[in-house]
Amino acid sequence: MTRRLGVMTRDCAGINAALRAVVRTATGRQAEVYGIIRGYDGLIDGELRPLDRRTVSGIINLGGTILKSARSERFLTEEGQLQAVRMIENHKLDGLIVIGGNGSLTGAHLLATKYGFQVIGIPATIDNDLGQVDQCLGADTAVNVALDALDKIRDTATSLERIFVVEVMGRECGYLAMKVALAGGCEDVILPEQDFDLNEICQEIQAGNAQGKVSWIVIVAEGKARAQDVATAITLLTGLETRIAVLGHIQRGGRPTAIDRILGAKLGWAAVEALLAGENDKCITLKNEEIIPIPLEMVIKPKKLVFEPEYRLLKLLS
Ligand code: F6P
Protein backbone atom coordinates (compact mmCIF):
# COMPACT_ATOMS: atom_id res chain seq x y z
CA MET A 1 0.00 0.00 0.00
CA THR A 2 1.39 3.41 -0.94
CA ARG A 3 1.33 5.77 1.98
CA ARG A 4 1.38 9.55 1.92
CA LEU A 5 3.39 11.02 4.77
CA GLY A 6 3.64 14.64 5.80
CA VAL A 7 6.70 16.06 7.56
CA MET A 8 7.08 19.41 9.32
CA THR A 9 9.89 20.90 11.34
CA ARG A 10 11.02 23.53 13.82
CA ASP A 11 14.50 24.98 13.25
CA CYS A 12 17.85 23.91 14.69
CA ALA A 13 21.00 22.18 13.49
CA GLY A 14 20.56 18.54 12.47
CA ILE A 15 16.95 18.93 11.33
CA ASN A 16 17.89 18.90 7.63
CA ALA A 17 19.86 15.70 8.21
CA ALA A 18 16.75 14.16 9.81
CA LEU A 19 14.57 15.38 6.95
CA ARG A 20 16.91 13.81 4.39
CA ALA A 21 16.70 10.52 6.28
CA VAL A 22 12.90 10.69 6.51
CA VAL A 23 12.51 11.32 2.77
CA ARG A 24 15.03 8.72 1.64
CA THR A 25 13.79 6.03 4.02
CA ALA A 26 10.16 6.65 3.08
CA THR A 27 10.73 6.73 -0.69
CA GLY A 28 12.79 3.54 -0.37
CA ARG A 29 9.68 1.97 1.21
CA GLN A 30 7.41 3.19 -1.64
CA ALA A 31 5.81 5.93 0.48
CA GLU A 32 5.25 9.49 -0.77
CA VAL A 33 6.48 12.38 1.34
CA TYR A 34 5.07 15.91 1.49
CA GLY A 35 7.01 18.69 3.20
CA ILE A 36 4.80 21.10 5.15
CA ILE A 37 6.17 24.62 4.79
CA ARG A 38 6.32 26.89 7.90
CA GLY A 39 5.14 24.29 10.43
CA TYR A 40 1.59 24.37 11.75
CA ASP A 41 0.87 27.66 9.95
CA GLY A 42 1.72 25.98 6.64
CA LEU A 43 -0.46 23.01 7.53
CA ILE A 44 -3.42 25.33 8.18
CA ASP A 45 -2.79 27.12 4.87
CA GLY A 46 -2.23 23.89 2.94
CA GLU A 47 1.34 24.84 1.99
CA LEU A 48 2.72 21.43 1.09
CA ARG A 49 5.26 20.33 -1.47
CA PRO A 50 6.28 16.86 -2.59
CA LEU A 51 9.76 15.80 -1.52
CA ASP A 52 11.83 13.20 -3.34
CA ARG A 53 15.37 11.89 -2.98
CA ARG A 54 16.79 14.75 -5.06
CA THR A 55 15.05 17.57 -3.17
CA VAL A 56 16.99 16.58 -0.06
CA SER A 57 20.38 16.40 -1.78
CA GLY A 58 23.18 18.52 -0.34
CA ILE A 59 21.34 19.52 2.85
CA ILE A 60 22.96 17.25 5.46
CA ASN A 61 25.49 19.97 6.33
CA LEU A 62 22.99 22.87 6.52
CA GLY A 63 21.68 24.44 9.73
CA GLY A 64 18.06 25.60 10.10
CA THR A 65 15.38 23.85 8.06
CA ILE A 66 14.81 23.87 4.30
CA LEU A 67 11.07 23.62 5.06
CA LYS A 68 11.04 26.92 6.98
CA SER A 69 9.27 27.22 10.31
CA ALA A 70 7.03 29.52 12.35
CA ARG A 71 5.45 29.83 15.79
CA SER A 72 1.76 29.34 14.98
CA GLU A 73 -0.72 31.30 17.04
CA ARG A 74 -3.56 29.97 14.88
CA PHE A 75 -2.90 26.31 15.72
CA LEU A 76 -3.51 27.17 19.38
CA THR A 77 -7.17 27.82 18.52
CA GLU A 78 -9.83 25.19 17.87
CA GLU A 79 -10.61 26.84 14.54
CA GLY A 80 -6.97 26.61 13.44
CA GLN A 81 -6.75 22.98 14.49
CA LEU A 82 -9.91 22.05 12.56
CA GLN A 83 -8.57 23.80 9.48
CA ALA A 84 -5.27 21.88 9.84
CA VAL A 85 -7.19 18.59 10.08
CA ARG A 86 -9.20 19.52 6.95
CA MET A 87 -5.92 20.10 5.12
CA ILE A 88 -4.55 16.74 6.25
CA GLU A 89 -7.71 15.12 4.85
CA ASN A 90 -7.69 17.16 1.61
CA HIS A 91 -4.10 16.11 0.93
CA LYS A 92 -4.93 12.52 1.90
CA LEU A 93 -2.01 12.31 4.32
CA ASP A 94 -2.17 9.15 6.38
CA GLY A 95 0.75 9.84 8.69
CA LEU A 96 2.71 12.82 9.96
CA ILE A 97 6.26 13.22 11.27
CA VAL A 98 6.81 16.29 13.44
CA ILE A 99 10.40 17.35 14.16
CA GLY A 100 10.75 19.90 16.95
CA GLY A 101 10.69 20.80 20.62
CA ASN A 102 8.02 21.09 23.27
CA GLY A 103 5.59 23.29 21.28
CA SER A 104 5.78 21.25 18.08
CA LEU A 105 5.45 17.92 19.88
CA THR A 106 2.55 19.18 22.00
CA GLY A 107 0.77 19.95 18.72
CA ALA A 108 1.64 16.47 17.44
CA HIS A 109 0.21 14.87 20.60
CA LEU A 110 -2.98 16.89 20.14
CA LEU A 111 -3.38 15.76 16.52
CA ALA A 112 -3.04 12.15 17.66
CA THR A 113 -5.25 12.25 20.73
CA LYS A 114 -7.93 14.82 19.89
CA TYR A 115 -8.21 14.25 16.14
CA GLY A 116 -7.17 10.59 15.80
CA PHE A 117 -4.35 11.24 13.36
CA GLN A 118 -1.23 9.01 13.18
CA VAL A 119 1.77 11.03 14.33
CA ILE A 120 5.41 10.32 15.21
CA GLY A 121 7.72 12.94 16.74
CA ILE A 122 11.47 13.52 16.49
CA PRO A 123 12.96 15.49 19.43
CA ALA A 124 14.80 18.59 18.19
CA THR A 125 15.61 21.56 20.40
CA ILE A 126 18.77 23.31 21.55
CA ASP A 127 17.21 23.46 25.03
CA ASN A 128 17.53 19.65 25.42
CA ASP A 129 14.60 19.88 27.84
CA LEU A 130 12.27 17.11 26.63
CA GLY A 131 11.15 14.51 29.16
CA GLN A 132 12.79 11.04 28.88
CA VAL A 133 15.00 12.20 25.98
CA ASP A 134 18.75 12.10 26.68
CA GLN A 135 19.88 13.95 23.57
CA CYS A 136 17.72 16.20 21.42
CA LEU A 137 18.75 17.05 17.90
CA GLY A 138 20.47 20.45 17.77
CA ALA A 139 21.71 20.51 21.37
CA ASP A 140 25.24 19.31 20.58
CA THR A 141 25.70 21.89 17.82
CA ALA A 142 24.33 24.64 20.09
CA VAL A 143 26.85 23.75 22.82
CA ASN A 144 29.68 23.85 20.28
CA VAL A 145 28.52 27.11 18.68
CA ALA A 146 28.24 28.77 22.10
CA LEU A 147 31.62 27.37 23.10
CA ASP A 148 33.24 28.82 20.00
CA ALA A 149 31.80 32.25 20.87
CA LEU A 150 32.92 31.86 24.47
CA ASP A 151 36.49 31.03 23.44
CA LYS A 152 36.57 34.30 21.51
CA ILE A 153 35.21 36.24 24.49
CA ARG A 154 37.88 34.64 26.67
CA ASP A 155 40.59 36.13 24.42
CA THR A 156 39.38 39.62 25.37
CA ALA A 157 38.60 38.72 28.97
CA THR A 158 42.21 37.53 29.39
CA SER A 159 43.85 40.31 27.38
CA LEU A 160 41.97 43.12 29.06
CA GLU A 161 41.74 41.47 32.47
CA ARG A 162 37.99 41.78 32.64
CA ILE A 163 34.99 40.02 34.08
CA PHE A 164 32.46 38.79 31.51
CA VAL A 165 28.92 37.62 32.14
CA VAL A 166 27.66 35.55 29.19
CA GLU A 167 23.97 34.72 28.79
CA VAL A 168 22.99 31.56 26.94
CA MET A 169 19.60 30.25 25.78
CA GLY A 170 17.79 27.16 27.02
CA ARG A 171 14.45 28.42 28.38
CA GLU A 172 13.85 26.86 31.81
CA CYS A 173 16.58 24.26 31.31
CA GLY A 174 20.23 24.75 32.30
CA TYR A 175 21.65 22.07 29.97
CA LEU A 176 23.24 24.46 27.48
CA ALA A 177 24.59 26.72 30.24
CA MET A 178 26.10 23.87 32.26
CA LYS A 179 27.80 22.18 29.29
CA VAL A 180 29.19 25.44 27.90
CA ALA A 181 30.46 26.53 31.32
CA LEU A 182 32.21 23.22 31.98
CA ALA A 183 33.65 22.89 28.47
CA GLY A 184 34.69 26.55 28.44
CA GLY A 185 36.52 26.41 31.78
CA CYS A 186 34.31 29.14 33.24
CA GLU A 187 34.52 30.32 36.83
CA ASP A 188 30.81 30.05 37.59
CA VAL A 189 27.41 29.26 36.10
CA ILE A 190 23.95 30.40 37.17
CA LEU A 191 21.36 27.71 36.44
CA PRO A 192 17.55 27.47 36.70
CA GLU A 193 17.95 24.16 38.55
CA GLN A 194 20.04 25.62 41.39
CA ASP A 195 19.95 28.53 43.81
CA PHE A 196 22.74 31.04 43.51
CA ASP A 197 24.17 33.67 45.80
CA LEU A 198 25.57 36.77 44.11
CA ASN A 199 27.31 37.86 47.31
CA GLU A 200 29.18 34.58 47.39
CA ILE A 201 30.18 34.89 43.72
CA CYS A 202 31.43 38.42 44.40
CA GLN A 203 33.36 37.35 47.51
CA GLU A 204 35.11 34.71 45.42
CA ILE A 205 35.93 37.28 42.75
CA GLN A 206 37.34 39.65 45.36
CA ALA A 207 39.35 36.92 47.07
CA GLY A 208 40.75 35.77 43.72
CA ASN A 209 41.44 39.33 42.71
CA ALA A 210 43.44 39.90 45.90
CA GLN A 211 45.65 36.97 44.82
CA GLY A 212 46.19 38.35 41.33
CA LYS A 213 43.39 36.60 39.41
CA VAL A 214 42.14 39.15 36.93
CA SER A 215 39.63 37.65 34.53
CA TRP A 216 36.38 35.77 35.11
CA ILE A 217 33.66 34.34 32.94
CA VAL A 218 30.29 33.65 34.52
CA ILE A 219 27.66 31.90 32.40
CA VAL A 220 24.01 32.77 33.03
CA ALA A 221 21.14 30.59 31.83
CA GLU A 222 18.38 32.80 30.37
CA GLY A 223 15.79 30.90 32.42
CA LYS A 224 17.31 32.06 35.70
CA ALA A 225 18.68 35.60 35.37
CA ARG A 226 19.66 38.30 32.91
CA ALA A 227 23.34 38.92 32.15
CA GLN A 228 22.92 42.68 32.53
CA ASP A 229 21.45 42.41 36.04
CA VAL A 230 24.19 40.02 37.17
CA ALA A 231 26.93 42.24 35.68
CA THR A 232 25.53 45.39 37.29
CA ALA A 233 25.40 43.66 40.66
CA ILE A 234 28.97 42.35 40.32
CA THR A 235 30.32 45.82 39.50
CA LEU A 236 28.36 47.32 42.37
CA LEU A 237 29.58 44.75 44.89
CA THR A 238 33.21 44.41 43.75
CA GLY A 239 33.96 47.73 42.06
CA LEU A 240 35.43 45.76 39.13
CA GLU A 241 34.69 46.47 35.49
CA THR A 242 32.27 43.93 33.99
CA ARG A 243 31.08 43.34 30.42
CA ILE A 244 28.21 41.24 29.12
CA ALA A 245 27.51 39.15 26.01
CA VAL A 246 24.08 37.74 25.19
CA LEU A 247 24.69 34.97 22.67
CA GLY A 248 21.06 34.80 21.48
CA HIS A 249 20.05 33.10 18.27
CA ILE A 250 23.54 32.31 17.00
CA GLN A 251 23.20 29.27 19.28
CA ARG A 252 20.35 27.85 17.21
CA GLY A 253 22.13 28.08 13.87
CA GLY A 254 25.33 26.88 12.31
CA ARG A 255 26.68 23.79 10.60
CA PRO A 256 25.47 20.70 12.45
CA THR A 257 28.18 18.74 14.28
CA ALA A 258 28.84 15.13 13.27
CA ILE A 259 26.90 14.06 16.37
CA ASP A 260 23.79 15.95 15.25
CA ARG A 261 24.03 14.76 11.65
CA ILE A 262 24.33 11.12 12.71
CA LEU A 263 21.55 11.52 15.30
CA GLY A 264 19.37 13.14 12.62
CA ALA A 265 20.01 10.25 10.22
CA LYS A 266 19.13 7.63 12.85
CA LEU A 267 16.05 9.41 14.19
CA GLY A 268 14.72 10.22 10.71
CA TRP A 269 15.10 6.62 9.58
CA ALA A 270 13.56 5.25 12.79
CA ALA A 271 10.60 7.66 12.66
CA VAL A 272 9.56 6.40 9.23
CA GLU A 273 9.97 2.77 10.26
CA ALA A 274 7.88 3.41 13.39
CA LEU A 275 5.15 5.12 11.39
CA LEU A 276 5.02 2.33 8.81
CA ALA A 277 4.95 -0.25 11.62
CA GLY A 278 1.78 1.42 12.95
CA GLU A 279 3.24 3.24 15.98
CA ASN A 280 1.31 6.36 16.94
CA ASP A 281 1.56 9.28 19.38
CA LYS A 282 5.23 8.42 20.07
CA CYS A 283 8.50 10.26 20.02
CA ILE A 284 11.58 8.47 18.67
CA THR A 285 14.59 8.53 20.99
CA LEU A 286 17.95 6.81 21.20
CA LYS A 287 19.18 5.09 24.36
CA ASN A 288 22.53 3.27 24.16
CA GLU A 289 22.21 3.11 20.37
CA GLU A 290 18.81 1.49 20.71
CA ILE A 291 15.83 3.18 19.08
CA ILE A 292 13.07 3.66 21.64
CA PRO A 293 9.60 5.08 20.89
CA ILE A 294 8.34 6.97 23.97
CA PRO A 295 4.75 8.23 24.39
CA LEU A 296 4.59 11.91 23.38
CA GLU A 297 2.70 12.62 26.58
CA MET A 298 5.86 11.82 28.58
CA VAL A 299 8.18 13.70 26.26
CA ILE A 300 6.31 17.01 26.43
CA LYS A 301 6.63 17.05 30.22
CA PRO A 302 9.81 19.01 31.03
CA LYS A 303 12.64 16.90 32.39
CA LYS A 304 14.30 17.56 35.72
CA LEU A 305 18.05 17.57 35.32
CA VAL A 306 20.50 17.46 38.20
CA PHE A 307 23.67 19.43 37.62
CA GLU A 308 25.25 19.34 41.09
CA PRO A 309 28.09 16.89 40.21
CA GLU A 310 29.07 18.84 37.10
CA TYR A 311 28.78 22.13 38.98
CA ARG A 312 31.01 20.82 41.78
CA LEU A 313 33.57 19.74 39.16
CA LEU A 314 33.47 23.17 37.54
CA LYS A 315 34.09 24.86 40.90
CA LEU A 316 36.88 22.43 41.74
CA LEU A 317 38.68 23.14 38.48
CA SER A 318 38.05 26.88 38.19
O1 F6P B 1 13.41 26.71 22.34
C1 F6P B 1 14.51 27.14 21.62
C2 F6P B 1 14.81 28.59 21.90
O2 F6P B 1 15.91 28.98 21.12
C3 F6P B 1 15.04 28.93 23.39
O3 F6P B 1 16.32 28.56 23.84
C4 F6P B 1 14.77 30.41 23.38
O4 F6P B 1 14.37 30.86 24.66
C5 F6P B 1 13.64 30.54 22.41
O5 F6P B 1 13.70 29.40 21.54
C6 F6P B 1 13.66 31.77 21.56
O6 F6P B 1 12.48 31.81 20.85
P1 F6P B 1 12.28 32.73 19.55
O7 F6P B 1 13.14 32.18 18.45
O8 F6P B 1 10.83 32.62 19.24
O9 F6P B 1 12.71 34.09 19.94
Side-chain angles (χ1 to χ4, degrees), residues 27-316:
T27 52
R29 303 275 260 114
Q30 280 70 52
E32 292 172 23
V33 186
Y34 290 82
I36 297 158
I37 313 299
R38 291 187 193 82
Y40 289 101
D41 263 357
L43 185 59
I44 291 169
D45 294 333
E47 270 193 89
L48 278 74
R49 70 172 164 102
L51 299 174
D52 62 22
R53 297 182 65 82
R54 294 277 67 82
T55 50
V56 291
S57 285
I59 67 167
I60 196 166
N61 56 331
L62 301 181
T65 169
I66 62 160
L67 291 183
K68 303 195 181 298
S69 196
R71 284 203 195 284
S72 177
E73 294 297 325
R74 284 184 289 160
F75 192 72
L76 300 176
T77 67
E78 177 106 5
E79 198 191 335
Q81 290 162 17
L82 288 170
Q83 178 63 10
V85 169
R86 266 195 295 278
M87 284 299 167
I88 290 172
E89 286 163 1
N90 288 353
H91 286 86
K92 300 189 168 46
L93 298 180
D94 43 24
L96 187 64
I97 292 176
V98 178
I99 310 178
N102 195 282
S104 309
L105 298 183
T106 300
H109 180 54
L110 187 99
L111 283 174
T113 50
K114 188 167 169 192
Y115 299 103
F117 197 65
Q118 194 192 356
V119 182
I120 291 290
I122 292 180
T125 166
I126 65 166
D127 304 338
N128 208 31
D129 61 347
L130 295 172
Q132 313 281 323
V133 182
D134 290 345
Q135 188 73 26
C136 296
L137 210 49
D140 184 66
T141 304
V143 170
N144 282 288
V145 166
L147 191 59
D148 181 58
L150 190 73
D151 287 346
K152 289 171 179 143
I153 290 167
R154 183 176 287 289
D155 289 345
T156 297
T158 312
S159 305
L160 278 142
E161 306 189 329
R162 272 182 185 157
I163 301 170
F164 267 88
V165 180
V166 181
E167 184 178 314
V168 302
M169 279 185 165
R171 282 189 203 282
E172 301 306 312
C173 181
Y175 174 88
L176 198 48
M178 186 67 243
K179 301 296 165 188
V180 169
L182 193 53
C186 297
E187 277 70 23
D188 219 320
V189 56
I190 295 175
L191 301 164
E193 291 80 2
Q194 289 179 195
D195 292 334
F196 73 104
D197 183 344
L198 256 181
N199 282 314
E200 215 173 280
I201 293 176
C202 289
Q203 277 161 16
E204 273 182 27
I205 291 175
Q206 281 173 317
N209 200 252
Q211 292 173 0
K213 184 170 166 58
V214 283
S215 75
W216 263 265
I217 299 182
V218 177
I219 302 288
V220 178
E222 65 171 0
K224 184 68 167 184
R226 300 257 77 113
Q228 186 60 68
D229 299 338
V230 173
T232 306
I234 290 177
T235 302
L236 205 70
L237 292 168
T238 64
L240 296 169
E241 204 177 348
T242 309
R243 291 283 190 277
I244 68 154
V246 179
L247 298 187
H249 285 83
I250 65 158
Q251 294 158 102
R252 220 158 77 195
R255 260 178 82 230
T257 57
I259 286 180
D260 274 330
R261 296 182 200 195
I262 294 166
L263 186 60
K266 288 178 179 173
L267 294 177
W269 161 75
V272 173
E273 292 297 338
L275 203 62
L276 297 181
E279 290 275 14
N280 186 19
D281 197 20
K282 300 271 168 56
C283 181
I284 299 300
T285 64
L286 263 184
K287 258 194 178 46
N288 306 324
E289 285 301 303
E290 211 191 322
I291 304 285
I292 309 207
I294 296 180
L296 277 170
E297 193 187 1
M298 291 161 82
V299 170
I300 57 181
K301 286 192 190 125
K303 71 178 162 201
K304 289 265 165 287
L305 288 172
V306 176
F307 292 119
E308 269 126 34
E310 285 191 340
Y311 182 76
R312 273 201 304 276
L313 181 61
L314 176 142
K315 293 305 293 175
L316 183 79

